[in-house]
Amino acid sequence: MTDPNLLSILPQLASGAAHTHALGFLYEGLTDDGAVRLRVPYRADLVGDPDSGVLAGGLVTALLDHVGGLAVWIAMDAFRPIATLDLRVDYMRAAEPGRDLLAQARCYRLTPSIGFVRAWAFEDDPSDPVAAAQAAYMVSGETNAGSPS
């Protein structure tokens, strides 16, 4: 069961940082199977190739990394400091020009110090991904980030 307090701050965690706000990340909610989902509305200033209109690859990477972090918080059922340790992104195809990009992630293993995540970026269907990610996030063991170790 996900803590209602965590659920209430997920929209802010999704778009409250300067870079996520600038990129336009929007919290879409949790899927029926517990994956967290974000959306990036298509904008011309996010295009990486002006000739094709395809979104920048760095945007896709940032989206997958961020949704992965949210998935770790869902798995921990708490908001605690985390940091990306490892992120591998496999690009399978270009995003379709003019279309919003969605991403969803699930933390499939959580240890006391590391969360392991799988994530996908897509337009409509997660089974037709633009990119897939495998990531590991360091998890802080402290419940109060300001406390000394």
Side-chain angles (χ1 to χ4, degrees), residues 5-65:
N5 292 322
L6 178 62
L7 288 176
S8 71
I9 65 169
L10 278 176
Q12 184 178 356
L13 293 173
S15 62
H19 74 286
T20 59
H21 178 76
L23 294 171
F25 290 6
L26 300 171
Y27 176 68
E28 289 278 303
L30 298 176
T31 64
D32 292 340
D33 62 355
V36 64
R37 186 177 279 189
L38 296 179
R39 174 183 299 272
V40 177
Y42 185 88
R43 296 188 336 231
D45 64 322
L46 300 176
V47 168
D49 179 5
D51 291 335
S52 68
V54 171
L55 292 170
L59 170 71
V60 178
T61 298
L63 179 63
L64 289 168
D65 185 27

Side-chain angles (χ1 to χ4, degrees), residues 71-137:
V72 172
W73 287 322
I74 291 294
M76 290 189 303
D77 203 20
F79 175 65
R80 296 198 322 246
I82 63 172
T84 307
L85 290 174
D86 185 51
L87 175 65
R88 175 194 165 111
V89 178
D90 292 315
Y91 289 89
M92 291 166 224
R93 63 180 177 83
E96 294 177 21
R99 305 276 313 273
D100 291 0
L101 192 63
L102 295 161
Q104 69 184 45
R106 183 176 304 98
C107 181
Y108 65 91
R109 174 105 165 97
L110 183 63
T111 74
S113 58
I114 300 177
F116 298 91
V117 172
R118 290 188 182 109
W120 300 262
F122 55 94
E123 291 96 358
D124 296 312
D125 182 358
S127 69
D128 183 23
V130 168
Q134 177 86 21
Y137 298 82

